[in-house]
Amino acid sequence: MFIEQRINEKFNSVGSHVKNTYDLVDGSGAGVMVIHNDKIVLEEYWGKHSKEPDARTIQEDSQFHIASVRKSYIGFAVAYAVHHGYIESIDDEVTKYLPGTDTELFNKITIRHLLTHTHGLNTQEGRIIREFAPGKGWAYHDINIKMLTEIVKSTTGRTVAEILKEQVFNPLAFKETGWHDEANEKLVQVIKEQNDKFWSTSKGTDGGQKNMYVSTRELAYWGYVHLKQGFIDGEQLVSNDIIKLATSLKSPFVNKDLPQNGFLWFVKDLPAKKTEIGELVPQGSYQILGYTSVAVLVIPKKNIVAVRMFNSFGSTPGYDYLSDIRSFGDTVMGCL
């Protein structure tokens, strides 16, 4: 997959915004890319792979840990399972696909609830608890992600990684996207507190673990594939039905205070106080943000994709990540 680069100074403010965030967070490297009207109009990199003096310089093939942005890939795998009938309906209860689960605790929780963070489950001291009735609130916890990857594997007989490689990575010749257990020269080191409770050291390359690394360019291409509904270089390389399913609003309710979701993507429908999407970003746009402050924003109405990359895990004191990511989207809109 190749997109012509045609740098446009109108988008310099997006680069300045990312550079400003880079100066605020505790990282060592960053990148930004904007694709507008089928051209790369902005591409910049800063810093190094780590804080070591001899660390590699951040460049085109540097692969960043994308944290929760990986959920957009898991959402695609779930959409694949639904589209091909492995999952009959997202309104099926999860107990139908995960036999052996606690039926009382999981009663009335559907796949829709897992996809839109409205399931009401959390973990406490190693056990699963219910915080609210399914579909009656919104909370961002990781328990739903583990369940969704298990459902994908049990229904399709394949892992998230296998589905993505077959359906997306191989057709588009992606070489800088994947799951890694061991460090290599192209992986950007994550800068984090030594005992950060949110950091996961679990290993595996099946797509279910928090060890996904992607280059700035291929994350922008991932967004671009969605923007173009899978129609790339004159061919339908990725199913447009799967992409539409994954990126359309699926929340069981719309609340002016709470975010709205598709298949894990944050979707802009009505304005919401707690959304991660900027006020100026139009309806129908979608975005996903990771704990490393990595983000990909897709704005179909303006034919634009914007990606930012960092290697800072978590937030520094005084850094408001939600305000910053909303401002990022609004800055993109200000360039148009």
Side-chain angles (χ1 to χ4, degrees):
M1 181 175 177
F2 173 78
I3 301 176
E4 180 186 349
Q5 186 182 76
R6 190 176 294 174
I7 300 302
N8 188 331
E9 291 183 357
K10 287 197 305 182
F11 294 90
N12 285 352
S13 60
V14 179
S16 297
H17 190 283
V18 174
K19 179 62 166 61
N20 182 62
T21 301
Y22 169 56
D23 291 337
L24 290 173
V25 298
D26 183 25
S28 67
V32 61
M33 179 173 285
V34 177
I35 301 173
H36 182 230
N37 290 338
D38 309 311
K39 301 289 189 296
I40 296 171
V41 293
L42 176 69
E43 182 177 11
E44 294 184 30
Y45 304 98
W46 300 273
K48 296 188 174 184
H49 279 220
S50 75
K51 292 185 177 182
E52 297 299 321
D54 59 347
R56 186 176 190 254
T57 301
I58 299 290
Q59 49 203 277
E60 287 182 8
D61 62 355
S62 297
Q63 296 170 47
F64 289 79
H65 187 289
I66 63 169
S68 285
V69 172
R70 75 188 178 96
K71 294 172 185 176
S72 63
Y73 297 84
I74 293 170
F76 181 95
V78 179
Y80 169 88
V82 172
H83 176 67
H84 289 285
Y86 296 106
I87 295 172
E88 293 181 18
S89 168
I90 64 171
D91 290 314
D92 286 344
E93 293 191 17
V94 298
T95 52
K96 176 178 178 178
Y97 300 99
L98 294 177
T101 51
D102 184 331
T103 53
E104 183 176 348
L105 185 62
F106 289 84
N107 186 37
K108 296 185 178 179
I109 295 177
T110 65
I111 292 173
R112 183 187 299 272
H113 294 140
L114 298 184
L115 290 167
T116 59
H117 307 291
T118 57
H119 49 84
L121 298 178
N122 198 4
T123 55
Q124 186 178 77
E125 297 178 351
R127 63 187 182 89
I128 300 173
I129 62 168
R130 176 175 280 187
E131 293 183 333
F132 54 83
K136 301 300 181 182
W138 188 97
Y140 196 77
H141 302 307
D142 269 349
I143 185 172
N144 57 325
I145 304 305
K146 184 176 186 296
M147 295 172 67
L148 286 169
T149 57
E150 289 175 356
I151 289 170
V152 167
K153 189 171 183 179
S154 67
T155 56
T156 68
R158 289 184 291 165
T159 66
V160 167
E162 288 170 339
I163 291 170
L164 264 297
K165 286 175 183 175
E166 177 193 85
Q167 297 293 311
V168 182
F169 303 163
N170 289 343
L172 297 171
F174 281 7
K175 304 296 184 185
E176 298 161 2
T177 301
W179 295 266
H180 297 271
D181 286 339
E182 305 298 333
N184 67 61
E185 66 169 7
K186 293 186 179 181
L187 302 188
V188 180
Q189 181 180 322
V190 177
I191 307 300
K192 59 180 177 58
E193 295 291 333
Q194 186 173 0
N195 297 313
D196 193 308
K197 65 179 181 178
F198 295 109
W199 178 252
S200 172
T201 56
S202 55
K203 293 186 176 183
T205 57
D206 61 1
Q209 306 301 329
K210 302 176 184 180
N211 57 352
M212 192 173 191
Y213 290 78
V214 186
S215 69
T216 305
R217 183 164 290 196
E218 285 197 359
L219 186 59
Y221 284 0
W222 170 245
Y224 183 75
V225 169
H226 285 72
L227 178 71
K228 306 308 287 187
Q229 301 284 292
F231 190 76
I232 305 295
D233 298 332
E235 294 184 70
Q236 193 69 49
L237 296 179
V238 180
S239 167
N240 60 337
D241 291 329
I242 292 175
I243 290 174
K244 287 177 183 177
L245 189 61
T247 57
S248 57
L249 185 66
K250 294 297 186 296
S251 295
F253 58 84
V254 175
N255 183 307
K256 64 181 181 180
D257 292 327
L258 298 175
Q260 299 131 30
N261 295 93
F263 277 46
L264 300 170
W265 284 95
F266 287 71
V267 176
K268 182 72 173 284
D269 186 55
L270 299 176
K273 289 182 180 179
K274 295 183 180 179
T275 182
E276 64 174 45
I277 303 178
E279 182 180 357
L280 301 180
V281 177
Q283 190 178 33
S285 303
Y286 43 95
Q287 176 176 272
I288 197 158
L289 170 69
Y291 201 59
T292 46
S293 292
V294 169
V296 53
L297 169 64
V298 182
I299 309 176
K301 287 183 178 179
K302 299 297 182 179
N303 198 25
I304 193 166
V305 174
V307 160
R308 68 181 205 177
M309 311 293 272
F310 303 99
N311 66 331
S312 174
F313 193 72
S315 300
T316 52
Y319 171 66
D320 185 337
Y321 76 96
L322 274 181
S323 175
D324 183 63
I325 189 60
R326 291 187 196 115
S327 176
F328 173 71
D330 288 343
T331 300
V332 172
M333 289 299 301
C335 298
L336 301 174

